Amino acid sequence: MSARQAPPPLPSWATWWQRPFPDANTLLLHGRRPALVDSGFTGHAEETAAWAGERAGRVELVVNTHWHSDHVGGNALLQARGAGVAAGAPEAEAIARRDPGCCAAEYLDQPVAPYTVDVSLDDGQVLRLGDADWEVVRTPGHTPGHLALWQPDEGLLVVGDALSDYDVGWVNLALDGPGAAATALASLKRMADLAPRVVLPSHGPVPADPGAAFAAALRRAQRLVDDPAGAVWYGARRIFAFALMIRDGVPAGEVEPYLLARAWLTDAARLLGLAPEALAGELVTSMLGSGAVVLRDGRLRAAAPHTPVPAGSLRVPYPRAWPGPEPR
Ligand SMILES: [Zn+2]
């Protein structure tokens, strides 16, 4: 066995923070326009803001790769402290009209503190972050509004949840339609064609070999296209593991009612041709069997390393109850 190969180095003006779940990895770009790419989970907003503040003094702009709760949770706090928020156009528009589907927060039962979007991003748009120009690359699939950020001089590509060193982003066939996996595959191909020197994924380590990471992700994405039921199962496992992480587990006796009350679970059951009760049972049994979840102290818990979340921080309204955008 050889030691893990070192990832390619980053320029001095970029600071990378690899974070355990439930926070997405965070990129800080130093310079005249200090910028943060993704802002972690709501329950860790203070920690995210403090980390960026210590290193950059202030954050002028937060750019979201997409609106899932582990990427936008610090938006509200950073915005209250003067930062702007930039996001892909479809998400920016939905956030502006306070669409109840924002962030899939209610659908996934993942709290997000209310925020607004100041800058709507389109494909090909060039954005100055720190002191460098970054190109917006629309990469729908994991979510319809998902985007990557490309810095051609240094060959840096921020890929969000589109891929990681070990996997590919899950796709939501119920919410985004049966074509979501093919859309994700096309986005991966587009990113691979950029031949980045450094791939910065939202979860896990920076891949030592970007080409190998793309090759693995493309194979995985093709399997999601070829096996829609497998794709539904993959999404269900990821969503449920995340729910357990942010709640410090769920009491064993409350797991089934929790699952049966979730829109994502009933949608997944419909796509799989199963009764929701059957899917809930199979999900728990299969995840216990694989070791992805464990029963400890009477609670079902996610096995993957994760940072505890203060329970009070989950008590934020779903987007349907978000206050209207403040005049800015
Ligand atoms: Zn995501």
Side-chain angles (χ1 to χ4, degrees), residues 4 159 162-168 188 192 196 198-201 205-221:
R4 212 193 119 74
V159 299
L163 74 151
S164 68
D165 197 24
Y166 52 88
D167 220 333
V168 73
L188 277 175
V198 187
V199 163
L200 297 167
V206 174
D209 181 346
F214 270 113
L218 286 163
R219 283 194 299 274
R220 238 334 237 137

Side-chain angles (χ1 to χ4, degrees), residues 173-261:
L173 302 186
L175 215 52
D176 303 330
T183 303
L185 179 62
S187 290
L188 277 175
K189 286 179 176 158
R190 190 175 172 205
M191 283 184 277
D193 284 346
L194 294 170
R197 181 180 67 84
V198 187
V199 163
L200 297 167
S202 288
H203 298 287
V206 174
D209 181 346
F214 270 113
L218 286 163
R219 283 194 299 274
R220 238 334 237 137
Q222 183 65 55
R223 287 211 297 278
L224 297 183
V225 173
D226 296 340
D227 177 15
V232 172
W233 272 104
Y234 177 46
R237 289 194 298 266
R238 297 298 299 265
I239 298 165
F240 185 42
F242 193 89
L244 295 176
M245 288 186 209
I246 62 174
R247 288 174 181 76
D248 190 27
V250 170
E254 293 171 23
V255 169
E256 195 186 6
Y258 175 81
L259 285 171
L260 294 180

Side-chain angles (χ1 to χ4, degrees), residues 3-4 39 78 83 128 130 136 161 166 179 182 227 229 248 272 274 304 312:
R4 212 193 119 74
S39 65
L78 287 158
R128 178 140 283 233
V136 174
D161 278 355
Y166 52 88
D227 177 15
D248 190 27
L272 293 168
L274 293 171

